[in-house]
Amino acid sequence: MTVTHPEVFHLLAFLPVVVLVLVLNYRAGCKDTTRLIGSLHETTVRNLFLIKSFFGGLSFVAFYVLLVASLAGISWGLTTVREDRSGLDVVFAVDVSLSMLVEDAQPSRLARSGDLMRAVVQDLDGARFGVVAFTGSATRLLPLTEDNAAIESTLNLMGPELLSTPGTDLERALTTALASFPADSDRHRAVVVFSDGEAHSGDETGPAREAAERGIGVFTVTVGTPEGGPVSLRDGGRAFDRDGNPVHSRAEPARMRRIAEIAGGVHLDASEAGVFSRLPDALSEFEGRRDSEGFRTVPVERYGFFLGWALVMLAIHVLVRSLRWRRWF
Amino acid sequence: MFEGGRNVWVLEQPVALLLLAFVPLVMYLRHGAPNRGGRLRFPISVWGGRHFVPRVWSVAFLYRLSILAFWLGVVICIVALSSPARVYRERINLTRGMDIVFVLDESPTMAAMDFAPYSRFEAAKRIIRRFVRGRENDAIGLVSFARDAALRVPPTVDHQHLLKELDQLSIMELGDGTAIGLGIALGALHLQSSSAEQRVLVLLTDGKNNVAEILPGVAARVARDLGVRVHTVGIGSPGEIPIEFTDPHTGRSYRGIVTDAYEADALRDLAEITGGNFFEAASLGSLEAIFQTLDTVETVERRARVEVRTESLSRHFIFLGFMLIIFDFVTRRVLLRERL
């Protein structure tokens, strides 16, 4: 079972307020009945009022919870979608912010990423490649092409001088990468993100979900270690923050892993052994798996189930109040 | 996108709309049934006159508004249950198109104004743009040259990117000179790893080669060996042509008269070596005609299918319905202090 929009569950925080309103209404209602009918039939009326209030309130609370559940995008089970595609398009989204120059990966985070990309280009024959560079902004450096000479010269170009915007914005990186795939292509599509995951702005879960919906695999590679290292400036000197402390950059694999999880890709750590074969293997497996089957599986979202029951609860809520139950009971 | 990206809205589970039939029934039970619960009947009224009705206008208004919101919310939730979705139709190309690289001269003489109202350079850019728009399925690249040659865009089907780069091209960024050989060699090199069956290079120039690094004949033979067909287009009309341009490096403007012309024989030879054609463009009209010819000469079989992609809109409906029902709840239970 997966939840696509877990943030919706925050709406449940209002549930106590709803219950409180219902309870206050009930207590005020009790007073009113006494005032209206005196103490003559008090117990019968009170009991009836309690029962009606209880079931009316309960059904409304159930309605509230079920509707929130239907909004949360809960899914279980799998269904298949026909997908006749062959060949592979890969867009590399490469973080070129200053923190990528930290040398906690060998020889540096950025150089390590470059080596990994070369390994992928060499191993995946017949694939087309494109390159997006990003910091706080993102730009398409190389459109999807088979031209190996152009790919090689683009990879040699990668450096923090490419983009002047500071920061790291994985959302823009993914959005730009997703826009690099032509709509009328019949190839499988994958994005490979290289970053330390230390993002400063943007919410990358949105484009990751979009990728999942469109059947685009997003693979993430964390370069750098959680221990991290000091950030150097372009001229070789150390970077200092406003208080005069040296800037230290730590990789955040959790963030990178989450992107891959949402988009149905694989997360890799650039420093693990065998990563140079694991990344190309993961990509060709992605292509091969879909090729052989001719369809892909997607989770079935079950909002209808929750929404249906929510409407039943709402109907009960209305009927509890509107029917004169005493006629039957 | 299919048919210019038009999309339609559909209901994937229209059966759920049958629930709408129950809405009037429940509405009647709640608001119209003579013996409905949850209300008090006052026996106070003038005999034969009007019954007791609340006179506070704002309360009555709020009450009616909340009823409206509630039932609207219910209807919207039922519509959401029927899975409203937007359907996109996308045309997917099933065949591999050809690879085409344009090798465009950007030497200063390309600023000559004999393609009125455009310069030779602007005219060439416009015609290339129109050509690209008609070749959806083909990977197209761009090399420009003057004293030097540079790859602007590798062969790609991302035509949006290509057109953007084409727009940004300006005269004399690569110095003063005409390195035809270098341009052809660079274009052919970037077609080397192409998997397309047909690889075509289109050279557009208005001058003769005056850079000796790679001779055009040698470059053409290299192209032929790589399986690249070279079409050559000579641009410009004979005679004295006024010229005006700005050097992008110094910002200085130049004016003058151009009398230089391309060497028709040399360009014809280059085309013949590789099995391509030579064209002469002396006016805007003839340049257009040449590109129409190229468009019909260079064709590959093309097959496509239409892929349908649906995007569910249910969440938006559920959210709206939810808000309306909550509005009703807050209005009645908190503002109007209804008890049950």
Side-chain angles (χ1 to χ4, degrees), chain B residues 68-100:
Chain B
L68 184 71
F70 180 83
W71 291 107
L72 199 61
V74 170
V75 168
I76 288 175
C77 280
I78 291 175
V79 173
L81 203 56
S82 68
S83 302
R86 206 179 343 208
V87 176
Y88 298 91
R89 290 162 173 277
E90 288 172 348
R91 189 169 56 208
I92 306 284
N93 289 312
L94 298 175
T95 42
R96 173 83 167 85
M98 60 171 68
D99 280 14
I100 302 169

Side-chain angles (χ1 to χ4, degrees), chain A residues 78-254:
Chain A
L78 293 169
T79 181
T80 52
V81 181
R82 223 177 90 97
E83 192 163 73
D84 272 341
R85 289 176 179 269
S86 62
L88 181 65
D89 282 346
V90 179
V91 170
F92 297 119
V94 191
D95 187 347
V96 292
S97 61
L98 266 181
S99 65
M100 288 296 281
L101 295 183
V102 173
E103 292 172 353
D104 56 351
Q106 286 304 320
S108 76
R109 291 177 183 177
L110 193 57
R112 182 88 174 171
S113 309
D115 292 344
L116 274 166
M117 284 184 269
R118 283 188 193 93
V120 172
V121 172
Q122 218 162 42
D123 274 24
L124 296 180
D125 226 17
R128 296 192 297 204
F129 297 94
V131 179
V132 166
F134 71 97
T135 52
S137 62
T139 182
R140 200 178 302 171
L141 279 190
L142 184 78
L144 279 171
T145 185
E146 287 179 323
D147 181 354
N148 286 338
I151 297 165
E152 181 58 36
S153 57
T154 307
L155 293 186
N156 291 336
L157 207 80
M158 302 305 259
E161 58 284 346
L162 275 175
L163 291 165
S164 55
T165 328
T168 303
D169 190 329
L170 286 163
E171 180 185 0
R172 286 194 186 179
L174 276 179
T175 311
T176 311
L178 293 182
S180 304
F181 296 105
D184 57 0
S185 165
D186 70 331
R187 288 162 163 254
H188 297 289
R189 296 157 294 177
V191 176
V192 188
V193 186
F194 294 89
S195 174
D196 46 31
E198 206 185 16
H200 306 288
S201 53
D203 176 14
E204 60 277 9
T205 53
R209 275 184 210 125
E210 189 202 323
E213 272 164 29
R214 289 171 60 187
I216 301 174
V218 179
F219 297 74
T220 51
V221 180
T222 305
V223 272
T225 58
E227 294 75 44
V231 177
S232 312
L233 291 175
R234 276 157 225 202
D235 56 15
R238 284 281 191 83
F240 293 95
D241 65 13
R242 248 178 254 157
D243 304 326
N245 304 312
V247 179
H248 198 88
S249 166
R250 292 179 178 82
E252 285 177 34

Side-chain angles (χ1 to χ4, degrees), chain A residues 5 8 11 18 21-22 25 28-29 32 36 49 52-53 60 63-64 67-68 70-71 84-85 128 140-150 180 182-186 214 303-304 307-308 311 314 317-319 321-324 327, chain B residues 1 26 29-30 35-40 70 74 77-78 80-81 83 90-94 96 99 136 151 153-158 161 190 193-196 305 307 309 312 314-315 318-319 322 325-326 329 332-334 338-340:
Chain A
H5 302 277
V8 170
L11 283 174
V18 173
V21 168
L22 290 168
N25 275 178
D32 291 352
L36 278 168
F49 186 64
K52 273 192 159 191
S53 294
F60 192 78
F63 160 78
Y64 189 97
L67 211 67
V68 168
S70 78
L71 277 173
D84 272 341
R85 289 176 179 269
R128 296 192 297 204
R140 200 178 302 171
L141 279 190
L142 184 78
L144 279 171
T145 185
E146 287 179 323
D147 181 354
N148 286 338
S180 304
D184 57 0
S185 165
D186 70 331
R214 289 171 60 187
Y303 72 89
L307 183 58
L311 285 173
L314 194 65
H317 173 70
V318 172
L319 294 180
R321 175 184 186 271
S322 306
L323 296 184
R324 284 201 178 267
R327 280 208 231 150
Chain B
M1 289 274 180
V26 183
L29 287 174
R30 179 166 163 185
N35 276 316
R36 64 190 188 274
R39 61 186 186 131
L40 286 170
F70 180 83
V74 170
C77 280
I78 291 175
L81 203 56
S83 302
E90 288 172 348
R91 189 169 56 208
I92 306 284
N93 289 312
L94 298 175
R96 173 83 167 85
D99 280 14
E136 265 177 49
L151 175 78
V153 185
T156 182
V157 285
D158 188 347
H161 182 86
H190 285 284
S193 47
S194 156
S195 66
R305 73 182 150 79
E307 194 169 273
R309 186 160 66 87
S312 172
S314 302
R315 283 192 89 236
I318 301 174
F319 190 74
F322 187 47
I325 291 168
I326 292 300
F329 179 80
R332 282 193 300 109
R333 292 306 189 105
V334 181
E338 212 172 89
R339 301 306 182 211
L340 186 68

Side-chain angles (χ1 to χ4, degrees), chain B residues 253-272:
Chain B
S253 291
Y254 295 89
R255 268 161 188 259
I257 299 289
V258 178
T259 50
D260 278 2
Y262 56 86
E263 287 177 319
D265 291 340
L267 291 181
R268 184 173 292 119
D269 283 349
L270 292 182
E272 273 168 10

Side-chain angles (χ1 to χ4, degrees), chain A residues 76-84 212-213 215 289-290 292-302, chain B residues 12 308 310:
Chain A
W76 63 81
L78 293 169
T79 181
T80 52
V81 181
R82 223 177 90 97
E83 192 163 73
D84 272 341
E213 272 164 29
R289 193 180 64 220
R290 298 211 171 153
S292 57
E293 291 164 359
F295 57 80
R296 77 188 153 93
T297 53
V298 288
V300 193
E301 209 180 285
R302 308 283 179 172
Chain B
E12 290 185 291
V308 177
T310 53

Side-chain angles (χ1 to χ4, degrees), chain B residues 19 31 84 142 144 147 187 215 237 263 287 290 310:
Chain B
L19 285 177
H31 302 295
L142 181 65
S144 68
R147 167 70 189 78
L215 291 172
S237 46
E263 287 177 319
L287 191 59
I290 290 165
T310 53

